[in-house]
Amino acid sequence: MPWRRFAAACLLVLAATPARADLNLLFSNLGPSNIVDVGYENVGGWLATTYGLGKSDPACVTNCTVLPAVERAVGQVAGNNANGLFVATAIPPTQALTNVPPIAGTGSFNVNTNLPQNTAVPFTMSRTGNVITYTLGTGPLASWTSTSQPFLSAMDTLQFRLRSPGTSVNTPTTLLEMSNLVYSDMAVTGQNLGTLSATNGDVRIALFGGVTGNFTLSGTYLLNWTGATRPTGWNSQVKGLDLPPPVSTPEPASLALLAAGLAGIGWARRRKASKAFFF
C-alpha cells in the first residue's frame, strides 16, 4: 500500500540522519554564594550525593569542596587579575585549580583596562586531542595553551560558574554575565547554551554533561556596576570536569510505581489473552 511505502521511506530518512547529541543540563542554581557553594560542591551537597564524591582532608571543617578531584582545566577571568588557563599537574588534583597560578600564556589581560564597564569581551575555550586552549579578548591580548596531557581528553562535562561582585556604599549594584554561549563538538554543531547572570554577590552555577571529543566553546563576559568604585572580589570560570558515573538510585516510591505499572501491563495482557481464547 502507498502509505506503507511512505512510512518505510520516512524510516530510511530518519535512519540516515545522524542524531543530534546536545549537551544536557545536569544542574543549575542561583543564590547567595555561601548557600550555593555548600549545596552544590561541598561535602553532602549535590555533587557528593549524585556522584559519590568525598573529601577526607581534615581541613574540611573550613574547606569542604569536593570539586578538586574531578577538575581537569579551568578558564578564568577574575577581579584580582587571576586570569588564564589553570590545568591539573597531578590526577586527581588535591586542591582547586584556581588556587595555584595559571599556566604560562601569551599577551596580557587586565580586568581594569581590558574589561570595560558594560562592554562584552569575547572568550573561547577549546580542546584538540589532549590540548586545551583558552583565550580572552580580541587581538594580541591573552591566549593560554596547555601541553598535551592524556587526562584532558577525559573531560566530559562543562561547568560555568559566576561569582558576582559584592556591593558597597560606593558600588551599590553589580552585575556579572556570561552570554552568547555557543558550543560545538564531534556530535553537535552550534548549540546555544544561553546566558548566565549573577548580581550583587550572588553565584550562578550551570553544569552541562555530554562533551564528546574535540570541542569549541565561545562566549562573552560582561561586568557592570553603578557608583564611583569599580567592584572587586568576583570571578567567572569555565571548568572542564571528568565526572564519575552517578550513584543515585530510584527512590522507593519510584520503584513501587514502576512495579505497579509492570504488574498492570501483565494483568492487561493476560486479560486480553483470555478474551481471545474465549471469544
Side-chain angles (χ1 to χ4, degrees):
M1 295 177 66
W3 67 269
R4 289 183 176 175
R5 289 195 295 269
F6 175 75
C10 290
L11 289 175
L12 287 174
V13 170
L14 290 174
T17 303
R20 180 183 172 95
D22 285 0
L23 298 191
N24 53 304
L25 182 64
L26 302 175
F27 178 93
S28 180
N29 203 355
L30 178 65
S33 60
N34 62 329
I35 295 176
V36 169
D37 289 348
V38 171
Y40 170 70
E41 66 182 37
N42 281 26
V43 171
W46 184 85
L47 276 177
T49 56
T50 305
Y51 295 99
L53 300 175
K55 183 177 173 64
S56 57
D57 189 338
C60 184
V61 173
T62 57
N63 180 21
C64 298
T65 179
V66 300
L67 265 176
V70 295
E71 286 186 337
R72 298 295 177 263
V74 179
Q76 175 175 265
V77 57
N80 60 355
N81 280 323
N83 313 309
L85 177 64
F86 303 77
V87 176
T89 57
I91 300 297
T94 56
Q95 62 178 330
L97 298 188
T98 50
N99 288 343
V100 297
I103 64 174
T106 59
S108 62
F109 189 94
N110 187 309
V111 297
N112 294 317
T113 57
N114 300 131
L115 195 59
Q117 183 181 20
N118 201 30
T119 301
V121 174
F123 75 92
T124 64
M125 189 175 193
S126 62
R127 172 173 65 191
T128 304
N130 295 332
V131 176
I132 296 290
T133 299
Y134 178 66
T135 67
L136 275 174
T138 58
L141 290 180
S143 177
W144 296 262
T145 300
S146 73
T147 58
S148 181
Q149 300 289 348
F151 57 76
L152 294 177
S153 64
M155 287 168 31
D156 55 13
T157 307
L158 288 179
Q159 176 190 308
F160 300 90
R161 185 177 186 274
L162 300 178
R163 182 187 294 275
S164 63
T167 60
S168 66
V169 173
N170 294 323
T171 310
T173 64
T174 62
L175 166 71
L176 182 61
E177 186 173 270
M178 196 185 297
S179 59
N180 303 311
L181 297 172
V182 178
Y183 173 88
S184 298
D185 66 12
M186 299 178 67
V188 59
T189 300
Q191 182 182 355
N192 184 349
L193 300 183
T195 296
L196 288 83
S197 296
T199 59
N200 304 330
D202 284 350
V203 169
R204 174 67 163 161
I205 296 174
L207 189 71
F208 289 88
V211 175
T212 304
N214 295 342
F215 72 82
T216 300
L217 171 75
S218 62
T220 56
Y221 293 122
L222 183 142
L223 176 67
N224 197 20
W225 69 94
T226 61
T229 304
R230 184 184 184 92
T232 58
W234 54 269
N235 57 62
S236 182
Q237 301 161 343
V238 180
K239 297 188 176 187
L241 309 181
D242 178 14
L243 286 179
V247 297
S248 56
T249 57
E251 298 178 359
S254 300
L255 291 174
L257 286 173
L258 177 61
L262 292 175
I265 292 172
W267 177 83
R269 285 179 175 174
R270 287 194 300 272
R271 186 167 183 268
K272 184 177 180 180
S274 299
K275 286 185 177 181
F277 180 81
F278 288 108
F279 296 98

